[in-house]
Amino acid sequence: MRADPPGLNRRALLAAPLALAACDRLASARTADGPLAPPLKALAPFPFGATGMTWQLDQPDWVEQTLRHCSQLTPEWEQKMERTLGPGFSYDFEPSDRVVAFAHHNGLRVHGHTVIWYSQGAEVFDDAQLSRARFAAEYDRYITTFVGRYRGRMAGWDVVNEPVAEDGNGLRDCHWSRALGMDGYMVRAFEQAKAADPEAVLFLNEYNLENIPRKGATFLKLVERLLKLGAPIGGIGTQSHLDIEIPAGQITAFMRDAASLGLPIHVSELDFPMQRDGGRMPDLRSTAERRAQQVARVGELAEAFMALPEHQRYAFTTWGLRDTDSWLVRAEGKNRPDESALLLDARGGANPAFHAVAEAFQR
């Protein structure tokens, strides 16, 4: 599972509002009128967050629901390197500035996402063409410029995103690791980010940590090793793109192991698809069975997060707020217009998993 679809591009994102408008109309037609869900930020004894994109800032319904439910905002795409970095090491932070300004204007704290990601930047940071000295200098300059631009304005940053191999067998080879070393590029990124924004909490962020125990274990060992190497890691980000069919207790076990490191933990990109990805047997589950699986796994996650010591509960963030905000429904994402993988329906009513989360938050 990925936070964003492969091949994400600006043209597709410009088309996204039109696709979602159609999806919104269909979803609204299917959704019975009823009460809006209680504000999540009032139920959670820690920051509750979701993601935002620049085109959503112009949608009154999105703004209304975001301000109703959220105390934190994560830029979904505007701070990714494919948007901020151009040819010849040119920078463009205007869309990022818009999201950050919207959040601050409306009293939301901001979580930065993401500084260094294995899947982006290779077109400009070409490790086969650049000397190591130039590569390192531009690497430092990018982090210092980007993170330093928002010094004192961000609650935290995903400094390094998804460094662990898909199956948990070691770490990903990428342009960053080839030029600066497998651990070296991460230590360097955290050092530069710390110098640029000393008060922000700096996160190592990864997915499938609950879904694949081997990957969770590799990730936590990596955190321990980087800390020993002096990396100023301040927190652990678990994306929590949940496979709702994983065994009961698996989420709790990972959260307990993660908590043992003593760092703040961010549930950073929560969603919980009803539909399986390809490659498995035909999915014969009923809608009721899928909803029950969602409720059980999302409830377990919320309970495990609530069981953390208070100082380790950094924030609880969903990747999109309503079903129609999800990357899973977009044409450039998974293109599943009927997917329902978030806590709120298209209108802002409570999906079944909402109640499990609300109950856990209020214990």
Side-chain angles (χ1 to χ4, degrees):
M1 298 179 191
R2 293 168 55 94
D4 293 281
L8 187 69
N9 58 68
R10 300 181 193 189
R11 181 179 297 175
L13 280 165
L14 290 172
L18 298 176
L20 276 186
C23 184
D24 235 348
R25 289 195 299 272
L26 291 172
S28 296
R30 290 194 300 267
T31 304
D33 289 339
L36 296 178
L40 282 157
K41 66 183 181 182
L43 302 175
F46 38 75
F48 179 86
T51 54
M53 302 177 75
T54 49
W55 57 267
Q56 291 174 315
L57 306 184
D58 300 319
Q59 294 187 333
D61 60 331
W62 179 88
V63 172
E64 179 184 358
Q65 291 299 319
T66 297
L67 299 185
R68 175 181 175 82
H69 288 284
C70 297
S71 52
Q72 177 176 292
L73 193 66
T74 299
E76 186 169 333
W77 176 68
E78 283 74 2
Q79 293 185 337
K80 289 183 168 68
M81 192 175 282
E82 72 169 2
R83 184 62 189 86
T84 58
L85 180 67
F89 296 101
S90 59
Y91 303 154
D92 180 4
F93 299 115
E94 189 275 334
S96 170
D97 289 347
R98 276 199 66 198
V99 177
V100 174
F102 167 86
H104 283 291
H105 177 74
N106 288 285
L108 306 178
R109 75 176 197 169
V110 190
H111 180 79
H113 175 84
T114 179
V115 183
I116 297 296
W117 189 15
Y118 78 90
S119 76
Q120 296 191 351
E123 299 85 357
V124 179
F125 280 94
D126 186 344
D127 59 297
Q129 298 295 324
L130 294 173
S131 68
R132 186 188 182 284
R134 174 75 189 283
F135 191 108
E138 294 292 355
Y139 186 83
D140 293 350
R141 183 170 75 92
Y142 177 78
I143 297 171
T144 299
T145 303
F146 178 26
V147 176
R149 185 180 187 87
Y150 305 103
R151 183 185 180 107
R153 302 175 66 198
M154 310 293 279
W157 287 94
D158 292 330
V159 175
V160 176
N161 195 46
E162 302 176 1
V164 180
E166 189 81 14
D167 61 359
N169 184 22
L171 305 182
R172 294 183 187 272
D173 175 65
C174 60
H175 48 300
W176 312 122
S177 64
R178 289 191 296 269
L180 301 174
M182 190 63 81
D183 290 346
Y185 86 88
M186 290 183 267
V187 173
R188 191 175 192 123
F190 278 97
E191 290 175 342
Q192 294 296 321
K194 185 68 173 178
D197 195 359
E199 300 304 315
V201 184
L202 306 182
F203 285 82
L204 191 68
N205 192 49
E206 186 57 89
Y207 71 105
N208 271 348
L209 301 178
E210 305 94 342
N211 298 334
I212 304 175
R214 183 179 187 180
K215 188 167 188 177
T218 299
F219 175 81
L220 295 179
K221 289 177 182 175
L222 172 63
V223 174
E224 290 182 298
R225 185 168 72 250
L226 293 177
L227 288 170
K228 290 178 181 177
L229 291 172
I233 297 174
I236 292 170
T238 177
Q239 294 182 16
S240 299
H241 297 290
L242 294 181
D243 179 349
I244 60 175
E245 297 181 79
I246 63 174
Q250 200 160 289
I251 295 169
T252 303
F254 170 75
M255 199 67 74
R256 182 180 60 244
D257 292 344
S260 69
L261 298 182
L263 296 172
I265 295 175
H266 185 196
V267 171
S268 59
E269 304 183 17
L270 173 63
D271 56 24
F272 32 94
M274 295 180 72
Q275 302 179 41
R276 292 173 179 161
D277 284 329
R280 301 191 194 181
M281 297 291 290
D283 192 345
L284 303 178
R285 295 172 299 161
S286 67
T287 298
E289 182 179 358
R290 297 177 196 192
R291 284 299 195 188
Q293 289 175 328
Q294 284 183 320
V295 170
R297 296 289 72 76
V298 176
E300 181 184 344
L301 176 69
E303 290 173 3
F305 191 76
M306 280 296 296
L308 295 171
E310 184 177 354
H311 72 278
Q312 288 189 265
R313 300 194 302 243
Y314 171 82
F316 196 94
T317 296
T318 57
W319 204 247
L321 185 61
R322 304 161 301 174
D323 286 337
T324 43
D325 300 323
S326 173
W327 71 282
L328 296 164
V329 308
R330 297 178 197 150
E332 81 280 2
K334 293 290 187 179
N335 195 24
R336 300 173 180 171
D338 296 321
E339 182 64 86
S340 178
L342 292 168
L343 298 176
L344 302 175
D345 64 26
R347 193 183 52 82
N351 279 329
F354 178 99
H355 302 293
V357 168
E359 182 179 349
F361 285 175
Q362 295 176 85
R363 287 180 182 173

